Amino acid sequence: MGHGRQRSLVSMLSDSAATDKPPARMAPVPAEAGPAAGNPLESETARRMLEIAERLFAENGVELVPLRHIVVEAGQRNRSALHYHFGSREALVSQLLNFRLTHINKVRNRYLDEVEAAGLGGDVRAIVEASINALADTIRDTPWGASYVQVLAQAAFSPSLLNADMINADAMSGVMRARKMIAAALPDLPREILHNRQKWFTCSVVCSLAQWCHQNQVSARRGQPPVADLADYCTAALTAPVGKPGMATRGARGSTE
C-alpha cells in the first residue's frame, strides 16, 4: 500500500470534520483480491471468515492472528480462500468494519433523531450521550458488539491495520452528523481547538468502551457500559474553557522555583 493511503480511521474522520466534507466514497477493492472481492459481504463464506476474524482479533490482537488460522477455523480447505475474498489483512479489517458499521450507524442516527425531536440539538451532553449509546447498545444487545469495539480500538489508531479509504462513507453519516451538531453547539470554540477536541472525544469513547469490554470479558461479569460517566467526562472535555497559551508550562516552571 502506498504511503499516501496510510491514514488511521480517526485521521479520516478528523480530516473530514476539519474540512466540513464527508469521508471519501469507498475506494475499489485492491486488484490483487479475487473476483468475489467486488462485494465480499455478499458471500456467506466471506461473512463467516469476518465473524471469526472479529473474535480472534479481539482476543489476540489484529496483528498477532495468522490469517491461516481464520481460514482453518472457517472450515475452508483452500488456504487461499481469505486472499481470494479480501486480498490482504488491511482489506479484511476494513471490510470487517464495514460489516458492522451499517447497524451502528442506524442506531446512532436514531438516537440523534430523538435528541433533535426533544429540542436538544444544541445540547452538547445530549449529543455526546446519543453517540456513545450507539456503541453501548451494540455491546449490550449483540453477540458481536464487544469484539467489534475492541477491533475498532486497534484500527482507530494504527494506519497499518486498515485502508481507511475502503470504509463505507454512507455508514459514517451518524458520526459526521454528531460532529456537526457539536460544532454548531460550540460556535465560540476556535476551529483548531474544536477539531482537536472532537478527535480526542472519538478516541476517548472508543478506547474507554474497548477497555471496559476487555475487563468485563476477563472477569466474566456482565452489565451496562458506563455511558453516563463517559458522557460526563467527554462533555466536560469538549466544553472546557480555552486556556491561555503557555499557561500550564509557566505554572509547572513556577512550582519548581
Side-chain angles (χ1 to χ4, degrees), residues 5 8 16 21 25 34 54-55 59 62 71 75 95 101 133 157 162 181-182 194 214 216 218 226 235 243 249 256:
R5 285 162 54 191
S8 69
S16 300
K21 294 180 181 179
R25 293 296 176 194
E54 182 175 58
R55 174 174 55 79
E59 292 174 354
V62 173
V71 176
Q95 292 293 358
L101 279 172
N133 268 325
F157 303 103
L162 83 164
M181 292 171 69
I182 290 172
L194 175 63
H214 178 71
N216 277 264
V218 169
T235 302
T249 302
T256 61

mmCIF file of all heavy atoms in Angstrom, residues 5 8 16 21 25 34 54-55 59 62 71 75 95 101 133 157 162 181-182 194 214 216 218 226 235 243 249 256:
data_model
loop_
_atom_site.group_PDB
_atom_site.id
_atom_site.type_symbol
_atom_site.label_atom_id
_atom_site.label_comp_id
_atom_site.label_asym_id
_atom_site.label_seq_id
_atom_site.Cartn_x
_atom_site.Cartn_y
_atom_site.Cartn_z
ATOM 1 N N ARG A 5 -1.965 6.477 1.405
ATOM 2 C CA ARG A 5 -3.192 5.923 1.956
ATOM 3 C C ARG A 5 -3.033 5.507 3.405
ATOM 4 O O ARG A 5 -3.929 4.931 3.991
ATOM 5 C CB ARG A 5 -3.626 4.721 1.120
ATOM 6 C CG ARG A 5 -4.229 5.094 -0.207
ATOM 7 C CD ARG A 5 -4.242 3.914 -1.171
ATOM 8 N NE ARG A 5 -4.891 2.755 -0.612
ATOM 9 C CZ ARG A 5 -4.822 1.550 -1.184
ATOM 10 N NH1 ARG A 5 -4.134 1.380 -2.288
ATOM 11 N NH2 ARG A 5 -5.431 0.528 -0.642
ATOM 12 N N SER A 8 -5.143 6.558 9.644
ATOM 13 C CA SER A 8 -5.951 5.840 10.617
ATOM 14 C C SER A 8 -7.410 6.255 10.448
ATOM 15 O O SER A 8 -7.724 7.262 9.811
ATOM 16 C CB SER A 8 -5.488 6.146 12.040
ATOM 17 O OG SER A 8 -5.800 7.491 12.370
ATOM 18 N N SER A 16 -12.077 14.928 7.664
ATOM 19 C CA SER A 16 -13.382 15.244 7.089
ATOM 20 C C SER A 16 -14.087 16.315 7.896
ATOM 21 O O SER A 16 -14.705 17.229 7.352
ATOM 22 C CB SER A 16 -14.245 13.977 7.029
ATOM 23 O OG SER A 16 -13.639 12.991 6.228
ATOM 24 N N LYS A 21 -16.358 18.271 5.009
ATOM 25 C CA LYS A 21 -16.705 17.389 3.910
ATOM 26 C C LYS A 21 -16.861 15.970 4.428
ATOM 27 O O LYS A 21 -16.165 15.570 5.351
ATOM 28 C CB LYS A 21 -15.619 17.408 2.828
ATOM 29 C CG LYS A 21 -15.470 18.739 2.105
ATOM 30 C CD LYS A 21 -14.366 18.657 1.067
ATOM 31 C CE LYS A 21 -14.189 19.987 0.357
ATOM 32 N NZ LYS A 21 -13.092 19.922 -0.650
ATOM 33 N N ARG A 25 -15.851 8.528 -0.792
ATOM 34 C CA ARG A 25 -16.543 7.273 -1.077
ATOM 35 C C ARG A 25 -15.571 6.114 -1.039
ATOM 36 O O ARG A 25 -14.381 6.262 -1.282
ATOM 37 C CB ARG A 25 -17.197 7.345 -2.462
ATOM 38 C CG ARG A 25 -18.325 8.355 -2.532
ATOM 39 C CD ARG A 25 -19.472 7.985 -1.630
ATOM 40 N NE ARG A 25 -20.504 8.999 -1.620
ATOM 41 C CZ ARG A 25 -21.477 9.059 -0.727
ATOM 42 N NH1 ARG A 25 -21.515 8.184 0.245
ATOM 43 N NH2 ARG A 25 -22.390 10.003 -0.783
ATOM 44 N N GLY A 34 -9.462 -11.504 -5.275
ATOM 45 C CA GLY A 34 -10.115 -12.316 -6.294
ATOM 46 C C GLY A 34 -11.378 -11.686 -6.828
ATOM 47 O O GLY A 34 -11.828 -10.656 -6.336
ATOM 48 N N GLU A 54 -13.118 -11.327 13.553
ATOM 49 C CA GLU A 54 -13.514 -10.358 14.569
ATOM 50 C C GLU A 54 -13.233 -10.893 15.967
ATOM 51 O O GLU A 54 -12.645 -10.201 16.812
ATOM 52 C CB GLU A 54 -15.001 -10.051 14.408
ATOM 53 C CG GLU A 54 -15.567 -9.017 15.349
ATOM 54 C CD GLU A 54 -17.011 -8.722 15.011
ATOM 55 O OE1 GLU A 54 -17.836 -9.680 15.011
ATOM 56 O OE2 GLU A 54 -17.333 -7.556 14.728
ATOM 57 N N ARG A 55 -13.634 -12.128 16.223
ATOM 58 C CA ARG A 55 -13.419 -12.730 17.542
ATOM 59 C C ARG A 55 -11.934 -12.934 17.835
ATOM 60 O O ARG A 55 -11.452 -12.583 18.917
ATOM 61 C CB ARG A 55 -14.167 -14.067 17.632
ATOM 62 C CG ARG A 55 -13.901 -14.842 18.923
ATOM 63 C CD ARG A 55 -14.775 -16.068 19.012
ATOM 64 N NE ARG A 55 -14.662 -16.945 17.857
ATOM 65 C CZ ARG A 55 -13.647 -17.803 17.670
ATOM 66 N NH1 ARG A 55 -12.657 -17.874 18.554
ATOM 67 N NH2 ARG A 55 -13.616 -18.584 16.605
ATOM 68 N N GLU A 59 -9.566 -11.100 20.704
ATOM 69 C CA GLU A 59 -8.939 -11.915 21.752
ATOM 70 C C GLU A 59 -7.420 -11.810 21.742
ATOM 71 O O GLU A 59 -6.782 -11.794 22.805
ATOM 72 C CB GLU A 59 -9.343 -13.385 21.581
ATOM 73 C CG GLU A 59 -10.814 -13.656 21.860
ATOM 74 C CD GLU A 59 -11.203 -15.091 21.527
ATOM 75 O OE1 GLU A 59 -10.353 -15.829 20.974
ATOM 76 O OE2 GLU A 59 -12.356 -15.465 21.820
ATOM 77 N N VAL A 62 -5.075 -7.735 16.354
ATOM 78 C CA VAL A 62 -5.211 -7.807 14.904
ATOM 79 C C VAL A 62 -3.920 -8.275 14.240
ATOM 80 O O VAL A 62 -3.929 -9.081 13.315
ATOM 81 C CB VAL A 62 -5.637 -6.433 14.338
ATOM 82 C CG1 VAL A 62 -5.619 -6.449 12.812
ATOM 83 C CG2 VAL A 62 -7.032 -6.054 14.840
ATOM 84 N N VAL A 71 -8.810 -18.971 8.234
ATOM 85 C CA VAL A 71 -9.244 -19.852 7.149
ATOM 86 C C VAL A 71 -9.557 -21.240 7.682
ATOM 87 O O VAL A 71 -10.592 -21.839 7.362
ATOM 88 C CB VAL A 71 -8.157 -19.929 6.051
ATOM 89 C CG1 VAL A 71 -8.559 -20.930 4.975
ATOM 90 C CG2 VAL A 71 -7.933 -18.554 5.433
ATOM 91 N N GLY A 75 -13.339 -23.522 8.322
ATOM 92 C CA GLY A 75 -13.594 -24.801 7.662
ATOM 93 C C GLY A 75 -13.267 -24.805 6.186
ATOM 94 O O GLY A 75 -13.790 -25.643 5.436
ATOM 95 N N GLN A 95 -13.103 -4.352 5.656
ATOM 96 C CA GLN A 95 -14.409 -4.946 5.369
ATOM 97 C C GLN A 95 -15.105 -5.402 6.654
ATOM 98 O O GLN A 95 -16.340 -5.401 6.733
ATOM 99 C CB GLN A 95 -14.264 -6.110 4.395
ATOM 100 C CG GLN A 95 -13.842 -5.699 2.995
ATOM 101 C CD GLN A 95 -14.903 -4.886 2.277
ATOM 102 O OE1 GLN A 95 -15.991 -4.643 2.786
ATOM 103 N NE2 GLN A 95 -14.594 -4.458 1.057
ATOM 104 N N LEU A 101 -20.663 -1.468 10.546
ATOM 105 C CA LEU A 101 -20.936 -0.034 10.648
ATOM 106 C C LEU A 101 -22.374 0.339 10.291
ATOM 107 O O LEU A 101 -22.941 1.264 10.875
ATOM 108 C CB LEU A 101 -19.968 0.749 9.757
ATOM 109 C CG LEU A 101 -18.580 1.010 10.348
ATOM 110 C CD1 LEU A 101 -17.661 1.613 9.294
ATOM 111 C CD2 LEU A 101 -18.662 1.919 11.569
ATOM 112 N N ASN A 133 -24.195 6.011 23.172
ATOM 113 C CA ASN A 133 -25.227 4.975 23.287
ATOM 114 C C ASN A 133 -25.255 4.036 22.079
ATOM 115 O O ASN A 133 -25.604 2.865 22.211
ATOM 116 C CB ASN A 133 -26.605 5.617 23.466
ATOM 117 C CG ASN A 133 -26.965 5.792 24.930
ATOM 118 O OD1 ASN A 133 -26.615 4.983 25.777
ATOM 119 N ND2 ASN A 133 -27.685 6.869 25.232
ATOM 120 N N PHE A 157 -6.321 3.710 15.624
ATOM 121 C CA PHE A 157 -5.085 4.461 15.828
ATOM 122 C C PHE A 157 -3.928 3.991 14.960
ATOM 123 O O PHE A 157 -2.895 4.654 14.921
ATOM 124 C CB PHE A 157 -4.674 4.393 17.297
ATOM 125 C CG PHE A 157 -5.738 4.897 18.221
ATOM 126 C CD1 PHE A 157 -6.527 4.028 18.942
ATOM 127 C CD2 PHE A 157 -5.978 6.256 18.324
ATOM 128 C CE1 PHE A 157 -7.534 4.495 19.768
ATOM 129 C CE2 PHE A 157 -6.979 6.733 19.148
ATOM 130 C CZ PHE A 157 -7.757 5.849 19.880
ATOM 131 N N LEU A 162 -5.573 -0.978 8.494
ATOM 132 C CA LEU A 162 -6.692 -0.934 7.569
ATOM 133 C C LEU A 162 -6.431 0.109 6.499
ATOM 134 O O LEU A 162 -5.533 0.927 6.616
ATOM 135 C CB LEU A 162 -8.006 -0.615 8.293
ATOM 136 C CG LEU A 162 -8.337 0.866 8.586
ATOM 137 C CD1 LEU A 162 -9.802 0.996 8.935
ATOM 138 C CD2 LEU A 162 -7.478 1.428 9.688
ATOM 139 N N MET A 181 -23.245 18.618 14.765
ATOM 140 C CA MET A 181 -24.121 19.118 15.827
ATOM 141 C C MET A 181 -23.308 19.693 16.981
ATOM 142 O O MET A 181 -23.650 20.742 17.548
ATOM 143 C CB MET A 181 -25.050 18.002 16.304
ATOM 144 C CG MET A 181 -26.086 17.571 15.271
ATOM 145 S SD MET A 181 -27.007 16.079 15.763
ATOM 146 C CE MET A 181 -27.988 16.725 17.138
ATOM 147 N N ILE A 182 -22.231 19.005 17.349
ATOM 148 C CA ILE A 182 -21.369 19.505 18.426
ATOM 149 C C ILE A 182 -20.719 20.818 18.011
ATOM 150 O O ILE A 182 -20.645 21.775 18.793
ATOM 151 C CB ILE A 182 -20.306 18.450 18.787
ATOM 152 C CG1 ILE A 182 -20.966 17.251 19.479
ATOM 153 C CG2 ILE A 182 -19.220 19.044 19.683
ATOM 154 C CD1 ILE A 182 -20.041 16.069 19.706
ATOM 155 N N LEU A 194 -11.517 23.056 18.465
ATOM 156 C CA LEU A 194 -12.688 22.194 18.269
ATOM 157 C C LEU A 194 -12.284 20.919 17.526
ATOM 158 O O LEU A 194 -12.712 19.816 17.894
ATOM 159 C CB LEU A 194 -13.765 22.943 17.489
ATOM 160 C CG LEU A 194 -15.011 22.132 17.109
ATOM 161 C CD1 LEU A 194 -15.753 21.672 18.360
ATOM 162 C CD2 LEU A 194 -15.929 22.951 16.210
ATOM 163 N N HIS A 214 -13.004 -5.448 27.492
ATOM 164 C CA HIS A 214 -11.925 -6.381 27.815
ATOM 165 C C HIS A 214 -11.961 -6.775 29.287
ATOM 166 O O HIS A 214 -11.852 -7.956 29.631
ATOM 167 C CB HIS A 214 -10.577 -5.762 27.477
ATOM 168 C CG HIS A 214 -9.404 -6.632 27.820
ATOM 169 N ND1 HIS A 214 -9.108 -7.782 27.116
ATOM 170 C CD2 HIS A 214 -8.473 -6.529 28.808
ATOM 171 C CE1 HIS A 214 -8.034 -8.348 27.646
ATOM 172 N NE2 HIS A 214 -7.640 -7.615 28.674
ATOM 173 N N ASN A 216 -14.487 -6.707 31.352
ATOM 174 C CA ASN A 216 -15.675 -7.490 31.680
ATOM 175 C C ASN A 216 -15.586 -8.905 31.131
ATOM 176 O O ASN A 216 -16.098 -9.843 31.734
ATOM 177 C CB ASN A 216 -16.933 -6.789 31.164
ATOM 178 C CG ASN A 216 -17.424 -5.722 32.128
ATOM 179 O OD1 ASN A 216 -18.288 -5.963 32.935
ATOM 180 N ND2 ASN A 216 -16.815 -4.545 32.068
ATOM 181 N N VAL A 218 -12.761 -10.593 30.785
ATOM 182 C CA VAL A 218 -11.777 -11.286 31.620
ATOM 183 C C VAL A 218 -12.387 -11.730 32.936
ATOM 184 O O VAL A 218 -12.149 -12.836 33.413
ATOM 185 C CB VAL A 218 -10.555 -10.377 31.883
ATOM 186 C CG1 VAL A 218 -9.649 -10.966 32.954
ATOM 187 C CG2 VAL A 218 -9.776 -10.159 30.594
ATOM 188 N N PRO A 226 -20.559 2.062 31.056
ATOM 189 C CA PRO A 226 -20.701 3.293 31.863
ATOM 190 C C PRO A 226 -20.993 4.522 31.004
ATOM 191 O O PRO A 226 -20.176 5.452 30.918
ATOM 192 C CB PRO A 226 -19.340 3.389 32.560
ATOM 193 C CG PRO A 226 -18.388 2.773 31.587
ATOM 194 C CD PRO A 226 -19.150 1.630 30.952
ATOM 195 N N THR A 235 -18.171 15.394 27.737
ATOM 196 C CA THR A 235 -18.812 16.708 27.659
ATOM 197 C C THR A 235 -17.955 17.767 28.335
ATOM 198 O O THR A 235 -17.793 18.879 27.818
ATOM 199 C CB THR A 235 -20.206 16.665 28.310
ATOM 200 O OG1 THR A 235 -21.010 15.670 27.657
ATOM 201 C CG2 THR A 235 -20.901 18.016 28.214
ATOM 202 N N GLY A 243 -7.719 27.561 27.647
ATOM 203 C CA GLY A 243 -6.655 28.151 28.440
ATOM 204 C C GLY A 243 -5.773 29.059 27.610
ATOM 205 O O GLY A 243 -5.755 28.991 26.379
ATOM 206 N N THR A 249 2.669 25.532 31.139
ATOM 207 C CA THR A 249 4.127 25.465 31.188
ATOM 208 C C THR A 249 4.683 26.432 32.221
ATOM 209 O O THR A 249 5.558 26.090 33.011
ATOM 210 C CB THR A 249 4.725 25.794 29.806
ATOM 211 O OG1 THR A 249 4.198 24.884 28.849
ATOM 212 C CG2 THR A 249 6.237 25.684 29.832
ATOM 213 N N THR A 256 8.547 24.843 40.620
ATOM 214 C CA THR A 256 9.848 24.282 40.971
ATOM 215 C C THR A 256 10.823 25.366 41.450
ATOM 216 O O THR A 256 11.938 25.060 41.820
ATOM 217 C CB THR A 256 10.474 23.566 39.764
ATOM 218 O OG1 THR A 256 10.660 24.508 38.700
ATOM 219 C CG2 THR A 256 9.572 22.427 39.293
#
